[in-house]
Amino acid sequence: MRILVVNPNTTVSMTEKAAEAARLVAATGTEIIAATAAMGPASIEGHYDGALALPGLLDAIRAGEAAGAQAAVIACFDDTGLDAARSLASIPVLGLCESALVTAGFLAQRFTVVTTLERSRVLLENLTRHYGFGGRAKVRAADIPVLDLEKEGSGALDKLRHQIERALAEDGAEAIVLGCAGMADLAYELQSIYHVPVVDGVSAAVKQAEALIAQRLTTSKRGSYAAPLAKPYAGMLSGFAPAASA
Amino acid sequence: MRILVVNPNTTVSMTEKAAEAARLVAATGTEIIAATAAMGPASIEGHYDGALALPGLLDAIRAGEAAGAQAAVIACFDDTGLDAARSLASIPVLGLCESALVTAGFLAQRFTVVTTLERSRVLLENLTRHYGFGGRAKVRAADIPVLDLEKEGSGALDKLRHQIERALAEDGAEAIVLGCAGMADLAYELQSIYHVPVVDGVSAAVKQAEALIAQRLTTSKRGSYAAPLAKPYAGMLSGFAPAASA
Amino acid sequence: MRILVVNPNTTVSMTEKAAEAARLVAATGTEIIAATAAMGPASIEGHYDGALALPGLLDAIRAGEAAGAQAAVIACFDDTGLDAARSLASIPVLGLCESALVTAGFLAQRFTVVTTLERSRVLLENLTRHYGFGGRAKVRAADIPVLDLEKEGSGALDKLRHQIERALAEDGAEAIVLGCAGMADLAYELQSIYHVPVVDGVSAAVKQAEALIAQRLTTSKRGSYAAPLAKPYAGMLSGFAPAASA
Amino acid sequence: MRILVVNPNTTVSMTEKAAEAARLVAATGTEIIAATAAMGPASIEGHYDGALALPGLLDAIRAGEAAGAQAAVIACFDDTGLDAARSLASIPVLGLCESALVTAGFLAQRFTVVTTLERSRVLLENLTRHYGFGGRAKVRAADIPVLDLEKEGSGALDKLRHQIERALAEDGAEAIVLGCAGMADLAYELQSIYHVPVVDGVSAAVKQAEALIAQRLTTSKRGSYAAPLAKPYAGMLSGFAPAASA
Amino acid sequence: MRILVVNPNTTVSMTEKAAEAARLVAATGTEIIAATAAMGPASIEGHYDGALALPGLLDAIRAGEAAGAQAAVIACFDDTGLDAARSLASIPVLGLCESALVTAGFLAQRFTVVTTLERSRVLLENLTRHYGFGGRAKVRAADIPVLDLEKEGSGALDKLRHQIERALAEDGAEAIVLGCAGMADLAYELQSIYHVPVVDGVSAAVKQAEALIAQRLTTSKRGSYAAPLAKPYAGMLSGFAPAASA
Amino acid sequence: MRILVVNPNTTVSMTEKAAEAARLVAATGTEIIAATAAMGPASIEGHYDGALALPGLLDAIRAGEAAGAQAAVIACFDDTGLDAARSLASIPVLGLCESALVTAGFLAQRFTVVTTLERSRVLLENLTRHYGFGGRAKVRAADIPVLDLEKEGSGALDKLRHQIERALAEDGAEAIVLGCAGMADLAYELQSIYHVPVVDGVSAAVKQAEALIAQRLTTSKRGSYAAPLAKPYAGMLSGFAPAASA
């Protein structure tokens, strides 16, 4: 199997971390192809960054599918561009948030997502509701700028641990979901400290990608995710116009 | 008052229709400034078009605010880019779907949104839930390509009327919401035919914009819609990088 | 435009305060006609007062419509009698709670309503759910008897500020809604103190009234709000019997 | 036990029918005291009638409690004035809709309420949601003016049966709830025809009243249903002012 | 009337306590028949105990119906086996949780269930949602092993009171529901201490059983609760095979 | 990896079919161990069968874990005993319904579950709500006795196809979920006929089991799924008593 992992921001060290997490859980014979968005923001913190990450993300997915990927993972916990990517691609596309929530849902009745910045908290709260976990999952923000997760000595881990401890003490959390792709390397360590399941979205999404490929399942093209209709696109984005055959 | 009406697709005739609807309901002394996205798709039909409409839309909003607009309306019923625009701008930003739903909600307990294509139906159904109207509003698709609304003799009006009649007969609809900016010119005529309120999103959003300006209210910058953080943007989109002062 | 603002309790100073707030935001050319209920409770604190406020309220709405009002605002945050008034009148009728919630909803993802007495808290919580804001709005009671809002030195403002501060610190509130018509004069001051949107229901409802008039929209008479059927009414209330032509 | 059954409309034949249904199910030793509202509409069909029925209803409840009733039933399926009555009285107060829904809920997972007029359908749909049965109960209107239920040869029973048959065939209904106090005499006959539980609200509410009395339970006076605060009431309604001791 | 009260665990002292609570509220002429499960766990604490309590419970219900019971109460607050029992029996079957929630719902808008162990908390939270009380009822666990309720000096009452006091202070509870059959003897005392309604599930369920019998209502056999189909059962459970006539 | 697939009914041909489906999708190196319940019903059709299937199911899971299984799949679409099994086992346990719903959720916004008998329809509807898919998934029953799926010439496939066709035409289904373990062999064929994703629960659950093992995740023992407490079990079920060390 060949699975594309796209980092929708332009920071290569985050792509590498996601790829490493992906390879750690991938089945024997699964090839992980990592890609970094070629345009857009250096990190995705809130709605504006998320919007401008879309062209780079969609470009990488189109290229990855053309190069033979059988499934794609969008390595951002906001599930940025997930619906657009599912419409564009004929291969299945997985998001971190959706994958991590359903994974945690197999292990616990109640759990808490710990994300980076307050500005992403409600965004993720809305996603948990959209995916049907509104009554089961809480969301906490740890006040960590995303790129601090790439820096030694930033204090990011301490802040993350503080919110995990509050989730266990105050939320009745039975499991923890790490709410940022940049935390992918921390899951095992945190799990061994807190003795509850700690779910990383990159790992979860890669395994869902393998699962769909093995079941010969791909995105429905009936209704919501129908392929884009051919039409002109103007200006700087004219290269993104859907082909007539789509 | 000065209100910006942005058409996030690149079809100028749709911009003109929206501007006309806006001017028809605007208060004396309100100036409507119409803008068309300078890049992106000719119409927004589904998630992929919606994603690629964002740079052009956000650019137009930034320019409009800089030119003195006191509020902005995004003239697409999918509320494309609404959260990103609210984060970006310091003026209030209105979407057609949210504005039309709350307007219909003042007039009727149950109503039906009639939109263009089946691929947009579930997208709008999800929006109605997100805005809290899941139990009150149904969504129907009339199988009308968006640009057919710009063409005489396309049969678009007949298809629209057929779904309105089904909504009244089968859904218990007490009012109708027109689910596409391209239908903005049809509301009064349909209202006079069917004797129920027929809500157009452009008109509704313009009046909400005026209402917010008059109340000296603007988007909260605490939490979800905090201004974008300064950071590098790469490639073709480098010009979109948020300024350090944001 | 001519808009009726009805105070459903019998305290004239509250009517005057609401009228003042209404005039402050009304568009040039909008005439605000204020009316006070001629019978019923001096303030509305809980369900019993609310029930007995209805005859006076409905009487004032009928009279106001007969005198040429094009829309009516019920100046009580409980939206007392809103459904009955919408059935009775052929002009649109707005409530403070519904108007304020949708206004706040354009500005923030999460917000808190601060009302007067604990006995009104759950009542408003149920209204926020009914209007579709159950997942977005919290309700707090500040332990203020309604008529204390009319008295200098009652400590009401301090109590209100205390709950606003708790909402910002504990609820993740991005905006505040003032949950009583008697607070209409405080919105701008509180907004300047706390730097988040502070929404007053009277102002919000008046602007919605103008918006509906401008769009030539009025309450649907199909289904829920059909005009009352002619029938005898007995006793003290016989004068309220719907006319045969209704 | 002494249970008050109040008909909130002024039609005595409906009071008698409700009293008869109440006596049929009451336990040995339970005395049913029937009362008819002394003022207000001859039947309750929609929100306006419901609003004007409140003074007569609340007056009858106050008088009934003073005369020694240990619980009260409001014999209208709209649960008109239920919250106000619970605030006013120190004895428990039951509504037909709430009582019938919970009764049906013990017998079936899915059921349908059949009511009289279309204008009451959404009102009852909202009540079913408020009581937590939104996902389990459907509501149908049979196009029967309420007072036709009092007339031989009105065709009311045929219309009712037609909707019951549609509920069984189309809604997956496992039980039927009769959605008007005026249908109280029809439950057993319909149950024997259709072989599914048919629940009458008057019977259900009377049994709930007995159940609460036997358990020595009454309405909580903490929070939502706190007793009305003493204050002046003006005009025609001055006699309704809460006593200072309340 | 003859009502069966089945204790689905095998601890006889709990059966006796439930029977006593049942007799205290039963109407004159109602006979309470108590039964203890003949196989399975000594107490039900969590999902595993609940699963293994089912054969003993269902056996007791079958025997009780054969012996002439007209309704059955399952005396466990988890409503263990309620759906299976309703499918099996032709008499109505009541659960403690469902009965107590609807009873509290007649008395208060918001209330708190206090149960024994943390492992049962989410289970009951899910039940409250299933029964439609998700927005009205909170659940607290008092850290009391079930059988401690049978022991003098275990400290169970103090733990229970501590959580009731927190519910009143922190949850806005207007009433309390005792969340374990083993607390059936404490309701009146706690009600006199805290001056809010305190609902015991055994009492509530017995009165619902009487109510259904008096109304000649029983479980619908259409759809969800259709009688078990005849088929072979293997091994130790072969005696449970449904009869062909079922 | 070693994954246990337990058929909770006693029909060996269904176990074999499930095992075959499991092996078809399992990764290289995954060993599927199939087990059939040693006691209980020959098929699970409704709540009563489901209750009596639990001892046999839990016994098989305990034995499978003792024999070295790293995860378990309960091969019944009702997710019979899933919570009890998760409490009992220290390995992860997957249900078909939960696994299939989340799988379909990656591929489509709206889909329909087609199950066997009407008596299972509402049961599955409740499960879809519990898992958070209430707004996305519809459930249809095809009127197929479960064991007819094992018989050539029973007409079962035609009935199933009829409901799939109605789901596509009437429900707006974008994908189909097969709602019975006995349909596991039909997914690929139906997918090739209807050109939408057709999800089989056995396949979906096996892949989820592999995913959890690869991520080193197992059921949280904090809260809802805490291990059973040691206590005596009486009678025929005494062998099921949890060990003291649990």
Side-chain angles (χ1 to χ4, degrees), chain C residues 124-240:
Chain C
L124 292 185
E125 210 171 280
N126 288 348
L127 271 189
T128 62
R129 293 179 188 176
H130 177 61
Y131 293 134
F133 288 86
R136 296 174 64 186
K138 294 205 169 126
V139 184
R140 288 178 170 273
D143 191 23
I144 304 171
V146 167
L147 296 180
D148 275 13
L149 290 165
E150 306 301 294
K151 296 174 196 156
E152 286 289 322
S154 68
L157 182 58
D158 287 346
K159 290 177 178 176
L160 180 58
R161 288 190 54 177
H162 179 60
Q163 290 302 323
I164 290 174
E165 285 160 20
R166 289 191 60 189
L168 296 173
E170 299 171 26
D171 302 352
E174 302 171 359
I176 297 294
V177 171
L178 300 180
C180 178
M183 301 170 179
D185 52 336
L186 305 173
Y188 294 135
E189 182 187 348
L190 291 167
Q191 184 160 293
S192 72
I193 295 173
Y194 293 111
H195 306 293
V196 294
V198 177
V199 179
D200 158 52
V202 176
S203 313
V206 165
K207 297 309 290 184
Q208 296 299 341
E210 288 181 346
L212 295 176
I213 297 170
Q215 291 173 85
R216 293 188 254 167
L217 290 167
T218 188
T219 309
S220 177
K221 289 293 158 181
R222 191 175 198 276
S224 305
Y225 298 132
L229 296 167
K231 70 184 59 166
Y233 273 46
M236 193 163 77
L237 297 167
S238 57
F240 284 87

Side-chain angles (χ1 to χ4, degrees), chain A residues 112 138 140 162-173, chain E residues 121 166, chain F residues 222:
Chain A
T112 293
K138 296 207 167 124
R140 290 178 169 273
H162 179 60
Q163 291 302 323
I164 291 175
E165 286 159 21
R166 289 191 59 189
L168 296 173
E170 299 170 26
D171 302 351
Chain E
R121 191 177 55 76
R166 289 192 59 190
Chain F
R222 190 175 198 274

Side-chain angles (χ1 to χ4, degrees), chain D residues 2-29:
Chain D
R2 182 178 288 182
I3 296 171
L4 174 71
V5 175
V6 184
N7 175 10
N9 72 40
T10 59
T11 299
V12 173
S13 64
M14 286 189 69
T15 314
E16 285 167 356
K17 190 191 289 182
E20 190 173 354
R23 287 179 188 122
L24 213 60
V25 297
T28 313

Side-chain angles (χ1 to χ4, degrees), chain F residues 32-175:
Chain F
I32 300 296
I33 306 169
T36 306
M39 61 189 99
S43 64
I44 299 181
E45 296 171 315
H47 296 288
Y48 181 80
D49 291 342
L52 273 310
L54 296 178
L57 165 69
L58 293 169
D59 206 39
I61 284 180
R62 189 187 333 243
E65 182 176 4
Q70 291 162 281
V73 168
I74 300 173
C76 172
F77 203 83
D78 295 353
D79 286 0
T80 311
L82 183 56
D83 287 331
R86 283 179 177 161
S87 300
L88 170 66
S90 61
I91 56 175
V93 185
L94 284 306
L96 265 54
C97 181
E98 190 178 20
S99 300
L101 293 177
V102 307
T103 299
F106 292 125
L107 306 169
Q109 287 277 345
R110 300 285 181 271
F111 49 92
T112 293
V113 178
V114 185
T115 189
T116 52
L117 293 178
E118 175 66 14
R119 66 180 58 203
S120 300
R121 192 177 54 78
V122 171
L123 187 160
L124 292 186
E125 210 171 279
N126 288 347
L127 271 188
T128 63
R129 293 179 188 176
H130 177 63
Y131 293 134
F133 288 87
R136 296 173 65 187
K138 295 207 169 124
V139 184
R140 289 178 169 273
D143 191 23
I144 304 171
V146 168
L147 296 179
D148 275 15
L149 290 164
E150 306 301 293
K151 297 176 196 155
E152 286 288 322
S154 68
L157 182 59
D158 287 346
K159 290 177 177 174
L160 180 57
R161 289 189 53 176
H162 179 60
Q163 291 303 323
I164 291 175
E165 285 159 20
R166 289 192 59 190
L168 296 172
E170 299 170 27
D171 302 351
E174 303 171 359

Side-chain angles (χ1 to χ4, degrees), chain E residues 166-215:
Chain E
R166 289 192 59 190
L168 296 173
E170 299 170 25
D171 301 352
E174 302 171 359
I176 297 294
V177 171
L178 299 180
C180 178
M183 300 170 180
D185 52 337
L186 305 172
Y188 294 135
E189 182 187 347
L190 292 167
Q191 184 160 294
S192 71
I193 295 172
Y194 294 111
H195 306 294
V196 294
V198 177
V199 179
D200 158 52
V202 176
S203 312
V206 164
K207 297 309 290 183
Q208 296 298 341
E210 287 181 348
L212 295 176
I213 296 170
Q215 290 174 86

